Amino acid sequence: MSKQFVIQSRIAGEDGQRVSLGTRDEIIDSLSKFNTMAETEGGDTLWGPGFKIELPPNNPIQQMLLNIVEEEIAWKPIIGLAKHFDWSVMDIESGRELQP
């Protein structure tokens, strides 16, 4: 069974709420440069090294679901993506938040 996390922005807007991660198209385009993309064009699941990210249908995207598929290879690219995109990665089970 894979472990699940929620990805959201680390940045808060003026109202105190976290800003969106971007539009679906922006996210898909940005992540494709980091070896993370859908198996078929227009797919809702983006596959990366050892993980998959599930995109919600709404725009702009506030949160994404992260599933760890192969833990031994997933964390290094996830940490890199989180730093690059100012993501917060929250463990759904414990509520702990990783903000690299």
mmCIF file of all heavy atoms in Angstrom, residues 4 11 18 33 35 42 44 53 57-58 62 66-67 74 78 81 85 88 91 96 99-100:
data_model
loop_
_atom_site.group_PDB
_atom_site.id
_atom_site.type_symbol
_atom_site.label_atom_id
_atom_site.label_comp_id
_atom_site.label_asym_id
_atom_site.label_seq_id
_atom_site.Cartn_x
_atom_site.Cartn_y
_atom_site.Cartn_z
ATOM 1 N N GLN A 4 0.134 8.218 1.502
ATOM 2 C CA GLN A 4 -0.438 9.394 0.861
ATOM 3 C C GLN A 4 -0.113 10.678 1.613
ATOM 4 O O GLN A 4 -0.082 10.699 2.845
ATOM 5 C CB GLN A 4 -1.953 9.257 0.757
ATOM 6 C CG GLN A 4 -2.387 8.171 -0.192
ATOM 7 C CD GLN A 4 -3.879 8.171 -0.384
ATOM 8 O OE1 GLN A 4 -4.622 8.493 0.521
ATOM 9 N NE2 GLN A 4 -4.321 7.813 -1.580
ATOM 10 N N ILE A 11 3.055 29.275 0.613
ATOM 11 C CA ILE A 11 2.881 30.725 0.618
ATOM 12 C C ILE A 11 1.428 31.084 0.938
ATOM 13 O O ILE A 11 0.499 30.546 0.334
ATOM 14 C CB ILE A 11 3.276 31.309 -0.755
ATOM 15 C CG1 ILE A 11 4.724 30.930 -1.078
ATOM 16 C CG2 ILE A 11 3.072 32.806 -0.787
ATOM 17 C CD1 ILE A 11 5.113 31.135 -2.516
ATOM 18 N N ARG A 18 -3.621 29.776 1.954
ATOM 19 C CA ARG A 18 -2.517 29.433 1.051
ATOM 20 C C ARG A 18 -2.903 29.734 -0.392
ATOM 21 O O ARG A 18 -4.045 29.522 -0.799
ATOM 22 C CB ARG A 18 -2.155 27.965 1.208
ATOM 23 C CG ARG A 18 -1.599 27.680 2.579
ATOM 24 C CD ARG A 18 -1.175 26.253 2.692
ATOM 25 N NE ARG A 18 -0.963 25.925 4.097
ATOM 26 C CZ ARG A 18 0.062 25.218 4.527
ATOM 27 N NH1 ARG A 18 0.956 24.768 3.687
ATOM 28 N NH2 ARG A 18 0.189 24.954 5.798
ATOM 29 N N LYS A 33 9.015 19.112 -16.981
ATOM 30 C CA LYS A 33 10.451 19.433 -17.046
ATOM 31 C C LYS A 33 11.255 18.689 -15.971
ATOM 32 O O LYS A 33 12.473 18.725 -15.969
ATOM 33 C CB LYS A 33 10.650 20.942 -16.911
ATOM 34 C CG LYS A 33 10.034 21.724 -18.060
ATOM 35 C CD LYS A 33 10.084 23.218 -17.812
ATOM 36 C CE LYS A 33 9.547 24.007 -18.963
ATOM 37 N NZ LYS A 33 8.111 24.006 -19.096
ATOM 38 N N ASN A 35 10.637 15.279 -15.218
ATOM 39 C CA ASN A 35 10.373 13.860 -15.415
ATOM 40 C C ASN A 35 9.122 13.393 -14.672
ATOM 41 O O ASN A 35 9.090 12.307 -14.108
ATOM 42 C CB ASN A 35 11.596 13.027 -15.007
ATOM 43 C CG ASN A 35 11.514 11.591 -15.474
ATOM 44 O OD1 ASN A 35 10.901 11.291 -16.478
ATOM 45 N ND2 ASN A 35 12.129 10.693 -14.723
ATOM 46 N N GLY A 42 -3.682 14.640 -21.110
ATOM 47 C CA GLY A 42 -4.910 15.013 -20.442
ATOM 48 C C GLY A 42 -5.234 14.175 -19.212
ATOM 49 O O GLY A 42 -6.266 14.360 -18.591
ATOM 50 N N ASP A 44 -5.209 12.654 -15.371
ATOM 51 C CA ASP A 44 -5.258 13.296 -14.059
ATOM 52 C C ASP A 44 -4.157 12.837 -13.113
ATOM 53 O O ASP A 44 -4.010 13.393 -12.035
ATOM 54 C CB ASP A 44 -6.612 13.023 -13.390
ATOM 55 C CG ASP A 44 -7.754 13.738 -14.088
ATOM 56 O OD1 ASP A 44 -7.506 14.782 -14.713
ATOM 57 O OD2 ASP A 44 -8.890 13.251 -14.004
ATOM 58 N N ILE A 53 1.286 11.827 -8.606
ATOM 59 C CA ILE A 53 0.542 12.990 -8.130
ATOM 60 C C ILE A 53 -0.809 12.995 -8.832
ATOM 61 O O ILE A 53 -0.869 12.950 -10.065
ATOM 62 C CB ILE A 53 1.297 14.305 -8.427
ATOM 63 C CG1 ILE A 53 2.611 14.351 -7.658
ATOM 64 C CG2 ILE A 53 0.423 15.512 -8.092
ATOM 65 C CD1 ILE A 53 3.496 15.532 -7.992
ATOM 66 N N PRO A 57 -9.994 18.037 -10.463
ATOM 67 C CA PRO A 57 -10.545 18.568 -11.718
ATOM 68 C C PRO A 57 -10.679 20.084 -11.756
ATOM 69 O O PRO A 57 -10.859 20.651 -12.826
ATOM 70 C CB PRO A 57 -11.937 17.914 -11.784
ATOM 71 C CG PRO A 57 -12.290 17.648 -10.364
ATOM 72 C CD PRO A 57 -10.994 17.346 -9.660
ATOM 73 N N ASN A 58 -10.587 20.755 -10.616
ATOM 74 C CA ASN A 58 -10.842 22.202 -10.577
ATOM 75 C C ASN A 58 -9.613 23.028 -10.960
ATOM 76 O O ASN A 58 -8.493 22.546 -10.962
ATOM 77 C CB ASN A 58 -11.335 22.607 -9.185
ATOM 78 C CG ASN A 58 -10.411 22.133 -8.080
ATOM 79 O OD1 ASN A 58 -9.875 21.046 -8.144
ATOM 80 N ND2 ASN A 58 -10.225 22.938 -7.067
ATOM 81 N N GLN A 62 -5.596 24.020 -5.699
ATOM 82 C CA GLN A 62 -5.184 24.382 -4.337
ATOM 83 C C GLN A 62 -4.362 23.273 -3.688
ATOM 84 O O GLN A 62 -3.458 23.554 -2.907
ATOM 85 C CB GLN A 62 -6.408 24.673 -3.461
ATOM 86 C CG GLN A 62 -7.235 25.859 -3.903
ATOM 87 C CD GLN A 62 -6.462 27.155 -3.870
ATOM 88 O OE1 GLN A 62 -6.334 27.828 -4.883
ATOM 89 N NE2 GLN A 62 -5.924 27.527 -2.745
ATOM 90 N N LEU A 66 -0.433 13.231 -3.269
ATOM 91 C CA LEU A 66 0.847 12.590 -3.575
ATOM 92 C C LEU A 66 0.832 11.185 -3.003
ATOM 93 O O LEU A 66 0.529 10.994 -1.820
ATOM 94 C CB LEU A 66 1.998 13.395 -2.955
ATOM 95 C CG LEU A 66 3.376 12.742 -2.931
ATOM 96 C CD1 LEU A 66 3.947 12.622 -4.335
ATOM 97 C CD2 LEU A 66 4.325 13.543 -2.044
ATOM 98 N N ASN A 67 1.135 10.196 -3.832
ATOM 99 C CA ASN A 67 1.243 8.806 -3.407
ATOM 100 C C ASN A 67 2.672 8.332 -3.617
ATOM 101 O O ASN A 67 3.201 8.451 -4.727
ATOM 102 C CB ASN A 67 0.308 7.911 -4.223
ATOM 103 C CG ASN A 67 -1.139 8.193 -3.948
ATOM 104 O OD1 ASN A 67 -1.673 7.728 -2.954
ATOM 105 N ND2 ASN A 67 -1.779 8.964 -4.809
ATOM 106 N N ALA A 74 11.772 7.760 -4.187
ATOM 107 C CA ALA A 74 10.830 8.879 -4.328
ATOM 108 C C ALA A 74 11.243 10.150 -3.599
ATOM 109 O O ALA A 74 10.996 11.250 -4.094
ATOM 110 C CB ALA A 74 9.444 8.450 -3.847
ATOM 111 N N ILE A 78 11.080 14.335 -4.672
ATOM 112 C CA ILE A 78 9.980 15.057 -4.025
ATOM 113 C C ILE A 78 10.513 16.262 -3.257
ATOM 114 O O ILE A 78 9.959 17.358 -3.345
ATOM 115 C CB ILE A 78 9.176 14.123 -3.094
ATOM 116 C CG1 ILE A 78 8.395 13.110 -3.933
ATOM 117 C CG2 ILE A 78 8.235 14.923 -2.197
ATOM 118 C CD1 ILE A 78 7.784 11.984 -3.126
ATOM 119 N N LEU A 81 11.426 18.938 -5.747
ATOM 120 C CA LEU A 81 10.242 19.615 -6.281
ATOM 121 C C LEU A 81 9.635 20.552 -5.244
ATOM 122 O O LEU A 81 9.251 21.678 -5.565
ATOM 123 C CB LEU A 81 9.195 18.589 -6.731
ATOM 124 C CG LEU A 81 9.525 17.781 -7.978
ATOM 125 C CD1 LEU A 81 8.507 16.660 -8.171
ATOM 126 C CD2 LEU A 81 9.591 18.673 -9.202
ATOM 127 N N PHE A 85 9.232 24.510 -6.033
ATOM 128 C CA PHE A 85 7.898 25.083 -6.219
ATOM 129 C C PHE A 85 7.292 25.655 -4.932
ATOM 130 O O PHE A 85 6.127 26.052 -4.938
ATOM 131 C CB PHE A 85 6.943 24.024 -6.787
ATOM 132 C CG PHE A 85 7.278 23.624 -8.203
ATOM 133 C CD1 PHE A 85 7.809 22.371 -8.479
ATOM 134 C CD2 PHE A 85 7.072 24.497 -9.257
ATOM 135 C CE1 PHE A 85 8.112 21.989 -9.785
ATOM 136 C CE2 PHE A 85 7.377 24.133 -10.567
ATOM 137 C CZ PHE A 85 7.900 22.877 -10.824
ATOM 138 N N SER A 88 4.408 22.602 0.371
ATOM 139 C CA SER A 88 4.326 21.955 1.665
ATOM 140 C C SER A 88 3.770 20.557 1.393
ATOM 141 O O SER A 88 2.841 20.399 0.608
ATOM 142 C CB SER A 88 3.365 22.740 2.570
ATOM 143 O OG SER A 88 3.026 21.973 3.686
ATOM 144 N N ASP A 91 1.637 14.810 5.620
ATOM 145 C CA ASP A 91 1.278 13.410 5.818
ATOM 146 C C ASP A 91 -0.188 13.360 6.253
ATOM 147 O O ASP A 91 -0.557 13.945 7.278
ATOM 148 C CB ASP A 91 2.180 12.803 6.886
ATOM 149 C CG ASP A 91 1.952 11.322 7.101
ATOM 150 O OD1 ASP A 91 0.814 10.840 6.907
ATOM 151 O OD2 ASP A 91 2.913 10.639 7.477
ATOM 152 N N ARG A 96 1.624 15.726 10.072
ATOM 153 C CA ARG A 96 2.925 16.388 10.031
ATOM 154 C C ARG A 96 3.163 16.991 8.654
ATOM 155 O O ARG A 96 2.806 16.418 7.643
ATOM 156 C CB ARG A 96 4.056 15.422 10.373
ATOM 157 C CG ARG A 96 4.069 14.985 11.792
ATOM 158 C CD ARG A 96 5.248 14.170 12.181
ATOM 159 N NE ARG A 96 5.843 13.454 11.058
ATOM 160 C CZ ARG A 96 6.980 12.812 11.094
ATOM 161 N NH1 ARG A 96 7.674 12.778 12.214
ATOM 162 N NH2 ARG A 96 7.457 12.176 10.053
ATOM 163 N N GLN A 99 8.238 21.011 5.079
ATOM 164 C CA GLN A 99 8.434 22.237 4.303
ATOM 165 C C GLN A 99 9.923 22.420 4.044
ATOM 166 O O GLN A 99 10.585 23.183 4.727
ATOM 167 C CB GLN A 99 7.872 23.435 5.064
ATOM 168 C CG GLN A 99 6.388 23.383 5.244
ATOM 169 C CD GLN A 99 5.844 24.667 5.855
ATOM 170 O OE1 GLN A 99 6.575 25.548 6.258
ATOM 171 N NE2 GLN A 99 4.541 24.753 5.906
ATOM 172 N N PRO A 100 10.431 21.697 3.045
ATOM 173 C CA PRO A 100 11.889 21.769 2.781
ATOM 174 C C PRO A 100 12.327 23.139 2.303
ATOM 175 O O PRO A 100 11.599 23.905 1.788
ATOM 176 C CB PRO A 100 12.094 20.722 1.697
ATOM 177 C CG PRO A 100 10.780 20.347 1.181
ATOM 178 C CD PRO A 100 9.735 20.860 2.112
#
